[in-house]
Amino acid sequence: MKSLRCGPEVRDRLLLPWLLLPALWAAGRGQLRYAVPEEAQHGTFVGRLAQDLGLELAELVPRLFRVASKERGELLEVNVQNGILFVNARVDREELCGRSAECSLHLEVIVDRPLRVFHVEVEVEDINDNPPVFPVAVKTLRFYESKLLGSRFPLEGASDADIGVNALLSYKLSPSEFFFLEIQTNDELSQSLFLVLGKSLDREESAEISLTLVATDGGKPELTGTVQIIIEVLDVNDNEPTFAQSVYKVQLLENVANGTLVIKLNASDEDEGSNGEVVYSFSGDMSSSILTKFKIDPTSGEVRTKGKLDYEESKSYDIQVIASDRGAPSMSGHCKISVKLVDINDNTPEISITSLSLPIREDAPVGTVIALVSVSDRDAGANGQVSCSLPPHLPFKLASTFRNYYSLVLDSALDREATAGYQVVVTARDGGSPPRGATASVWVEVADVNDNAPVFAQAEYTVSVRENNAPGAHICTVSARDADAQENARVSYALVERRVGERALSSLVSVHAQSGRVHALQPLDHEELALLQFQVSARDAGAPARGSNASLQLFVLDENDNAPALLGPAGGGARSHALARSAGAGHVLTKVRALDADSGYNAWLAYELQPAAAGARSPFRVGLYTGEVSTTRALDEADAPRQRLVVLVRDHGEPALTATATLLVSLVDGAPSPKLSARASAGRVGAEASPLDVNASLMVAICAVSGLLVLTLLLWGALRCCGAARSEGACAPGKPVLVCSSAVGSWSSCRQRRPGLCSADGPPKADLMAFSPSLPQGPDSAEERQPPSDSEYIRKEIRGANKNVGRKEGQRTTYRFSHMMSLSATSSFYTKETPACLHRLFR
């Protein structure tokens, strides 16, 4: 193919109109259209692309302004500095589109931040740069001299690679007295040429005739092509084979099998013998593409397919057939077979997914463009019309942008914690019958954002640790989980700082930032701090960070780390007492008082009398739980005048701790002193008693009965309100007291205890130390051998309290109960509600 060579002035005149063409927008499609003539030189201006798209020149480079094309992308280029689209390489329309009526370059103009895609179509305009070309430069024809006037001989026309007017050919035959040219128009682009005999031939007069056929196209300027026709006049032949039609039209499906009959030709010859035997053949000027697709039987004239036909490769074929007889010389006739192929749906749609914006954040707004999808189908008509779809129940949709171009956009909100990614399968289906489809998939990963706060495994942790722990001892481990990923799920722990009395919380406990292990920084003391409540916070590493808190209740369990402490004179050394020899059995000499700073069983004291010297039977005993020292029998002269009693006070801890009290008893002759015999005579009113003593006894009895009635009503009311105590603390304001049994079976406040911290914000708690107010006076008593039950303690202490109320008129004694965790560890009598109920009762 030869390109048109023009001078500079002609070329400038041709290019100037195209350079002045304005940019056109396709109506209703949002598509930018330009036109450029073919053969334009490098650098030829096409259009102000950025300006026509409404983009600022300053934002072209930051927004990654670029042009992409699937079709010969090197032909056009854009200057990102000024946004001008120009020709980058020589554009040959015939090479690019062949003889197609439309020839366009489809460009995708892409900018980021945000992602936008524009479609630009650049039409390549045809110029008359290809002259008409004949199949051969010299064509030789043989005519018998006996040819009749008006005989027609078909000629192969010229072809022009251009289109439109530039490919509209006209023919002119050089002047001749024997022949003239006849042109028969079949359709707009197809012409049949015939060389018509206008004068009888005479080989003896002219054996050879030379003619020139000139083909001229319709371009400006015109281009021409020539073929030299040499006619050899033969001396033999008076009849030639003839066809019924000069042109045969046939339609074939493109998927016909190899060897399918196209047409059966039948040419007739009026001669006889060998001059009338016809042989069929293809014209020697046939292209190789036709010879590889069709074949003809020389004898029968059947034309059949050879090889596979493809509508997408070529839509039609023109086959020139020659019918020759076997005369000498041979005569021939000609016809043309016009084969039109019918398209079938034999091509699968093709899908291309480009410009992926992945991964996509889970907080991306609806409508965010994720990817660009383009589809194509080589078939024609409905067979090439493609539609795309997505599977249901996906948070995405396809939005059509231009013809076979789609955008994959977000259709609903994402949640990475529910679904971390989606396998998006795009299905393309054409309109054929049956339809053909194709799929393409893309993995859409959802990027995490910090939208979840850490969540503790428990909202509240309840743990215990024994007092006197080693510094740095592990208490427990808290754990929080964050549903986010990576940094957003990396959890760190910290204490929620507060004051605990005079100290900061961080001086008592600590939490490891990564593992959540809670440690005690120093030894804890149950007597000082029985319950510690605090909060641990968990925060992730996101931006902004999210966090949550968990409450932790730390119970400090009591250890038996305090020995009993003696009260009164016995606590400082030996204590002397005088006792009359006339004292009878059960006479109370004194009472040993002791206090243990621990709680529960560790503070439950028992009293023992150390055995006397070998062989001696002591006339004294001590109450196992009361500490009352009394006689076991009547004294006699055999008893030593000076008795040394050692009382051992033992708690119930593991191991038990003890203390001893030494009593020096002197036996004297005479009646017992009123003070020492008060216990023995208490409660007995003889005939010799004064009226004042009788009245006092009556008042005590009346007050005791009244107090018992009131106390019974209060207990009944307390049990009724125990249900409400579930949501209340077991602490009450005020100074706690230790309740001990007195020598006469009443409750009394022995000494004040240090306040214990029971909760983070509530009032302090106190200890309830319950002891039996009265026990049998024999060493073999079952109550002294076995510890009384907790329920027996409460009943006996209430009876003792009633007696004490009878003695102390108008005086109110306050009892407070605390350290229920220690008490409940040793007794099943208490419930969680009991401390709160009794606390409200006795306050």
Side-chain angles (χ1 to χ4, degrees):
M1 181 182 297
K2 298 182 180 179
S3 60
L4 178 62
R5 299 184 179 275
C6 304
E9 297 81 9
V10 176
R11 184 166 53 250
D12 292 342
R13 287 197 303 271
L14 289 174
L15 293 179
L16 183 59
W18 301 109
L19 297 177
L20 298 178
L21 283 177
L24 300 177
W25 290 90
R29 303 298 295 180
Q31 180 192 11
L32 195 63
R33 293 178 58 90
Y34 296 103
V36 63
E38 67 172 330
E39 304 295 337
Q41 299 299 318
H42 173 76
T44 300
F45 173 86
V46 178
R48 301 185 182 276
L49 184 57
Q51 178 180 342
D52 295 337
L53 292 177
L55 300 176
E56 297 293 335
L57 297 181
E59 64 181 2
L60 297 183
V61 175
R63 293 187 63 183
L64 302 180
F65 178 81
R66 59 194 183 276
V67 173
S69 173
K70 297 192 302 181
E71 307 169 345
R72 304 291 300 273
E74 76 280 1
L75 298 179
L76 299 174
E77 187 57 69
V78 65
N79 188 329
V80 296
Q81 304 299 326
N82 55 24
I84 292 177
L85 184 67
F86 61 92
V87 175
N88 188 48
R90 172 180 172 270
V91 181
D92 188 345
R93 187 185 186 282
E94 288 71 33
E95 179 184 352
L96 188 64
C97 302
R99 295 184 55 82
S100 176
E102 295 181 3
C103 185
S104 299
L105 293 175
H106 297 278
L107 307 178
E108 292 178 358
V109 181
I110 303 174
V111 293
D112 292 337
R113 307 187 188 109
L115 177 65
R116 294 187 62 189
V117 179
F118 304 91
H119 296 278
V120 179
E121 185 175 348
V122 178
E123 182 180 0
V124 180
E125 298 286 348
D126 181 58
I127 65 172
N128 194 24
D129 59 339
N130 291 281
V133 177
F134 287 92
V136 293
V138 178
K139 185 176 181 63
T140 301
L141 300 177
R142 294 180 175 84
F143 292 88
Y144 292 102
E145 62 179 355
S146 59
K147 276 289 184 181
L148 299 177
L149 294 178
S151 298
R152 300 190 307 170
F153 305 92
L155 298 177
E156 190 72 15
S159 62
D160 196 320
D162 296 322
I163 64 169
V165 177
N166 296 329
L168 188 60
L169 303 180
S170 60
Y171 298 89
K172 184 178 181 180
L173 187 65
S174 60
S176 173
E177 62 177 334
F178 296 102
F179 297 94
F180 64 90
L181 185 65
E182 180 180 331
I183 302 175
Q184 183 179 359
T185 302
N186 299 323
D187 50 40
E188 294 180 357
L189 298 178
S190 178
Q191 294 178 327
S192 296
L193 305 180
F194 298 93
L195 192 62
V196 183
L197 182 62
K199 182 180 178 181
S200 297
L201 298 175
D202 185 0
R203 193 190 69 82
E204 287 72 22
E205 181 180 344
S206 177
E208 184 176 288
I209 302 172
S210 179
L211 302 175
T212 301
L213 180 61
V214 179
T216 305
D217 60 23
K220 298 295 183 179
E222 298 176 345
L223 298 179
T224 61
T226 60
V227 60
Q228 185 178 6
I229 302 174
I230 299 176
I231 299 174
E232 296 180 358
V233 181
L234 302 180
D235 194 31
V236 188
N237 202 2
D238 50 7
N239 288 290
E240 62 183 14
T242 58
F243 291 94
Q245 299 176 221
S246 61
V247 177
Y248 294 89
K249 295 183 179 180
V250 180
Q251 286 189 343
L252 288 177
L253 293 177
E254 63 171 325
N255 66 337
V256 294
N258 185 16
T260 300
L261 177 64
V262 178
I263 192 174
K264 179 177 173 56
L265 298 176
N266 185 16
S268 61
D269 195 327
E270 296 180 359
D271 294 332
E272 294 181 353
S274 61
N275 291 334
E277 296 178 3
V278 179
V279 177
Y280 302 92
S281 64
F282 289 145
S283 172
D285 300 336
M286 299 289 292
S287 64
S288 59
S289 62
I290 296 178
L291 296 177
T292 58
K293 300 293 183 183
F294 301 95
K295 62 183 178 178
I296 188 170
D297 188 291
T299 303
S300 64
E302 292 181 349
V303 179
R304 296 182 179 272
T305 60
K306 182 178 69 173
K308 184 179 182 301
L309 301 180
D310 189 358
Y311 177 86
E312 288 70 38
E313 179 182 338
S314 179
K315 299 176 177 56
S316 63
Y317 298 92
D318 287 338
I319 306 173
Q320 297 288 342
V321 178
I322 300 176
S324 303
D325 58 21
R326 296 182 181 276
S330 176
M331 300 288 294
S332 62
H334 304 79
C335 73
K336 182 170 72 173
I337 304 173
S338 179
V339 180
K340 301 291 184 183
L341 296 185
V342 178
D343 181 53
I344 64 168
N345 193 22
D346 60 341
N347 288 280
T348 301
E350 297 178 358
I351 307 175
S352 175
I353 301 178
T354 58
S355 300
L356 303 178
S357 298
L358 297 176
I360 181 171
R361 289 169 56 92
E362 63 176 318
D363 61 348
V366 174
T368 300
V369 177
I370 300 170
L372 302 179
V373 180
S374 61
V375 294
S376 61
D377 194 312
R378 297 180 59 198
D379 292 321
N383 296 332
Q385 295 177 359
V386 182
S387 60
C388 289
S389 63
L390 294 178
H393 312 301
L394 286 180
F396 309 102
K397 67 178 181 180
L398 286 174
S400 178
T401 56
F402 171 74
R403 283 200 297 206
N404 292 333
Y405 291 87
Y406 299 85
S407 295
L408 180 63
V409 299
L410 184 63
D411 190 41
S412 60
L414 299 174
D415 185 3
R416 190 207 64 84
E417 288 69 41
T419 307
Y422 298 88
Q423 187 71 33
V424 179
V425 179
V426 181
T427 301
R429 192 173 299 275
D430 59 28
S433 180
R436 299 176 70 94
T439 60
S441 64
V442 58
W443 174 255
V444 178
E445 180 183 358
V446 181
D448 182 57
V449 298
N450 193 23
D451 57 347
N452 289 278
V455 178
F456 280 93
Q458 301 174 223
E460 182 175 338
Y461 293 82
T462 301
V463 296
S464 60
V465 62
R466 293 193 174 274
E467 64 175 334
N468 303 321
N469 57 280
H474 174 246
I475 298 174
C476 68
T477 300
V478 297
S479 175
R481 181 182 177 276
D482 196 309
D484 293 319
Q486 297 177 353
E487 291 297 313
N488 296 331
R490 186 162 56 86
V491 180
S492 60
Y493 304 90
L495 289 175
V496 178
E497 188 62 75
R498 53 176 291 272
R499 303 293 297 178
V500 181
E502 299 297 329
R503 293 174 295 180
L505 176 64
S506 57
S507 66
L508 298 175
V509 294
S510 68
V511 60
H512 192 269
Q514 282 71 42
S515 66
R517 291 171 60 88
V518 181
H519 298 270
L521 297 180
Q522 58 184 357
L524 301 176
D525 188 358
H526 172 80
E527 289 71 40
E528 179 183 353
L529 187 65
L531 174 61
L532 178 61
Q533 290 183 331
F534 57 93
Q535 288 186 325
V536 177
S537 69
R539 296 181 68 82
D540 56 32
R546 292 176 175 267
S548 62
N549 295 342
S551 299
L552 195 146
Q553 296 189 80
L554 175 61
F555 288 93
V556 182
L557 302 181
D558 183 54
E559 290 279 351
N560 192 25
D561 58 346
N562 292 281
L566 296 171
L567 303 178
R575 180 178 178 183
S576 299
H577 296 272
L579 178 63
R581 287 183 178 274
S582 60
H587 179 82
V588 177
L589 173 63
T590 186
K591 183 172 185 176
V592 178
R593 299 174 183 273
L595 175 67
D596 196 311
D598 295 319
S599 299
Y601 270 109
N602 295 330
W604 184 19
L605 303 181
Y607 300 86
E608 302 176 13
L609 191 61
Q610 293 289 80
R617 180 174 178 269
S618 175
F620 298 97
R621 69 176 294 277
V622 63
L624 180 60
Y625 298 113
T626 62
E628 292 180 345
V629 181
S630 60
T631 59
T632 61
R633 59 179 173 80
L635 301 177
D636 54 27
E637 295 298 331
D639 294 321
R642 295 182 63 81
Q643 300 279 343
R644 185 176 184 274
L645 306 179
V646 178
V647 179
L648 178 67
V649 184
R650 184 192 307 274
D651 59 27
H652 285 72
E654 289 294 340
L657 301 178
T658 63
T660 59
T662 304
L663 303 178
L664 301 177
V665 181
S666 299
L667 302 182
V668 297
D669 296 327
S673 62
K675 180 178 180 182
L676 294 177
S677 61
R679 177 76 172 101
S681 61
R684 300 197 304 269
V685 181
E688 297 83 4
S690 64
L692 182 60
D693 293 335
V694 174
N695 293 336
S697 300
L698 291 176
M699 291 180 64
V700 169
I702 293 172
C703 291
V705 173
S706 301
L708 181 60
L709 178 60
V710 173
L711 187 58
T712 303
L713 294 175
L714 292 176
L715 279 174
W716 178 79
L719 293 176
R720 290 290 302 273
C721 71
C722 280
R726 296 180 186 271
S727 59
E728 299 180 5
C731 304
K735 296 182 178 180
V737 297
L738 177 64
V739 180
C740 307
S741 69
S742 66
V744 294
S746 64
W747 285 8
S748 62
S749 176
C750 297
R751 75 175 180 86
Q752 292 187 353
R753 292 280 306 279
R754 290 174 295 174
L757 183 64
C758 64
S759 67
D761 303 310
K765 294 182 179 180
D767 289 339
L768 169 64
M769 303 304 296
F771 300 97
S772 175
S774 61
L775 293 171
Q777 298 298 319
D780 299 330
S781 171
E783 291 187 3
E784 292 194 1
R785 289 195 303 267
Q786 297 295 333
S789 65
D790 291 334
S791 60
E792 187 64 27
Y793 285 159
I794 296 301
R795 287 194 292 272
K796 290 182 178 181
E797 293 299 341
I798 291 175
R799 290 198 297 271
N802 292 333
K803 293 178 182 180
N804 193 39
V805 172
R807 292 190 188 94
K808 298 181 181 180
E809 298 184 27
Q811 180 179 2
R812 179 182 179 186
T813 303
T814 303
Y815 303 95
R816 305 197 180 276
F817 299 86
S818 67
H819 296 299
M820 295 314 299
M821 291 301 294
S822 299
L823 289 177
S824 62
T826 62
S827 172
S828 61
F829 175 75
Y830 295 105
T831 63
K832 288 186 178 180
E833 293 80 7
T834 304
C837 297
L838 296 179
H839 167 68
R840 289 194 297 274
L841 172 64
F842 289 105
R843 65 181 294 186

